[in-house]
Amino acid sequence: MSNAFDQSKDYYETLEINRNATDEDVKKAYQRLALKFHPDRKEGGGDSQKFSDVGEAFDVLSDPPKKAIYDKFGQEGLKEGVPVEPGFNGAWTSKYAYHGDPEKTFRQFFGDDNLFASIYSINAPLRYGGMRPGLVKPQDPPIERDLLVSLDDLFYGCTRTIRITRKVMNDDGLTYSIKDKILTIDIKRGWKEGIRIIFSKEGDQGPNIVPADIVFTLRQKSHPLFERQHNDLIYKTKISLEKALTGFPLDVPTLDGKLIGIYVYDIVHPAYKKIVTGEGMPLSQDPSQRGNIIITFEILFPETLCAERKHLIKQALKC
């Protein structure tokens, strides 16, 4: 591929600017020509093809990465992709194709859903690369992410830090930089799965939009000993049929590392549950209060019984 500038479509010529034009020049040129060639222009002069060409030229020259490729490799390099800098394992840039909707480009620039008609119905001056005073900027849809936490983290509480990368507008209000930011989430004791933590307007910035909210939804990892049920913890244990009928001692673990000794005197049937009060999850509204541990039992029946044992069991159960 030659580095010579591809003359098949000259975006600078389309916008009637020279190759040394600034970002501000690009914005001004697009504003003027988009209004001139818009198909809905009532005074005449509208031209759908030129309107589309102007939109494509602006889409490229207003985006620094696209503009850099176009300036060096022309339209061919932009649309076919070019090798990334050495040391990137032979990677190529993405192929560019204009989305083909010049009205979308127009709307994004002027920030007005009513497009051309409303532009000429309001006498307020236009600001290139921005919206007219009084118009409400649309907000990008929220960016949704899951936040996985352990049951222990929800029991004790913890702090999580998350690094995000986003576009931040420069002081000129036209260009942007890519910057990192650390978001801090304080996970409170007793929080439940499904809680949403919202960071308002922390998404990509743009000249005609309100940045999106970033929303993290709490998701609980599975635990080897417990299942959570609201503020209670379900603890499952296996016992023999003998223990189920005659009683037995049991050590019950807790999330804070204790072993609580209890004795089960009752006959344990399949629906039987034993409750250890006040040893479950802390209540988020009042962490000094806690739910319960609910013990459920899986009874292990013998696979076979000899005739003598069957007889003894029958005799024992007659009482």
Side-chain angles (χ1 to χ4, degrees), residues 129 137 140 167-169 173-174 176 203-211:
K137 292 183 180 181
D140 280 348
K167 297 177 182 177
V168 177
M169 295 301 298
L174 304 174
Y176 63 83
D204 289 338
Q205 297 179 358
N208 293 332
I209 60 168
V210 176

Side-chain angles (χ1 to χ4, degrees), residues 103-299:
E103 294 283 8
K104 177 181 177 181
T105 305
F106 189 83
R107 181 170 58 250
Q108 289 173 338
F109 181 86
F110 289 103
D112 187 357
D113 287 335
N114 199 19
L115 296 179
F116 189 84
S118 65
I119 288 173
Y120 281 94
S121 66
I122 298 176
N123 293 324
L126 285 169
R127 293 180 296 154
Y128 56 87
M131 297 172 63
R132 282 189 306 280
L135 288 178
V136 178
K137 292 183 180 181
Q139 183 175 22
D140 280 348
I143 301 168
E144 304 272 354
R145 295 289 185 271
D146 286 343
L147 179 63
L148 288 175
V149 293
S150 68
L151 188 58
D152 296 273
D153 287 340
L154 296 174
F155 181 85
Y156 288 105
C158 67
T159 299
R160 289 289 185 85
T161 56
I162 300 171
R163 182 188 300 273
I164 63 170
T165 300
R166 62 178 187 153
K167 297 177 182 177
V168 177
M169 295 301 298
N170 296 326
D171 292 338
D172 60 12
L174 304 174
T175 60
Y176 63 83
S177 302
I178 303 298
K179 294 186 178 180
D180 290 342
K181 183 171 183 177
I182 300 297
L183 303 180
T184 301
I185 300 175
D186 291 321
I187 296 173
K188 306 298 183 183
R189 298 187 65 200
W191 271 10
K192 296 182 176 70
E193 181 172 89
I195 283 180
R196 290 161 58 86
I197 304 102
I198 301 174
F199 290 89
S200 179
K201 303 177 184 177
E202 291 290 358
D204 289 338
Q205 297 179 358
N208 293 332
I209 60 168
V210 176
D213 295 339
I214 298 180
V215 182
F216 293 95
T217 301
L218 214 62
R219 300 298 180 197
Q220 180 190 302
K221 300 177 184 177
S222 60
H223 192 276
L225 295 179
F226 298 105
E227 292 181 11
R228 184 174 184 177
Q229 188 176 88
H230 305 296
N231 294 314
D232 296 329
L233 296 173
I234 310 300
Y235 176 67
K236 298 180 179 180
T237 188
K238 297 178 180 180
I239 60 171
S240 66
L241 177 59
E242 173 196 354
K243 289 182 176 180
L245 296 175
T246 61
F248 57 95
L250 179 66
D251 289 331
V252 181
T254 65
L255 273 177
D256 51 0
K258 296 182 295 187
L259 274 180
I260 298 177
I262 63 172
Y263 198 95
V264 180
Y265 294 97
D266 305 318
I267 292 176
V268 178
H269 52 79
Y272 178 84
K273 296 177 182 179
K274 186 77 172 177
I275 296 177
V276 181
T277 59
E279 295 293 343
M281 292 295 292
L283 278 60
S284 58
Q285 309 92 320
D286 181 5
S288 65
Q289 303 295 315
R290 291 168 60 177
N292 303 321
I293 291 179
I294 301 174
I295 309 168
T296 62
F297 301 89
E298 179 182 349
I299 302 170

Side-chain angles (χ1 to χ4, degrees), residues 39-65:
D40 292 341
R41 185 180 176 91
K42 296 177 181 178
E43 301 92 324
D47 188 314
S48 297
Q49 184 58 54
K50 288 184 178 180
F51 180 65
S52 180
D53 291 342
V54 165
E56 180 177 345
F58 175 73
D59 188 58
V60 172
L61 297 184
S62 64
D63 186 293

Side-chain angles (χ1 to χ4, degrees), residues 60 62-71 78 93 176:
V60 172
S62 64
D63 186 293
K66 295 176 192 172
K67 181 177 181 296
I69 296 173
Y70 175 72
D71 286 345
L78 184 68
T93 61
Y176 63 83

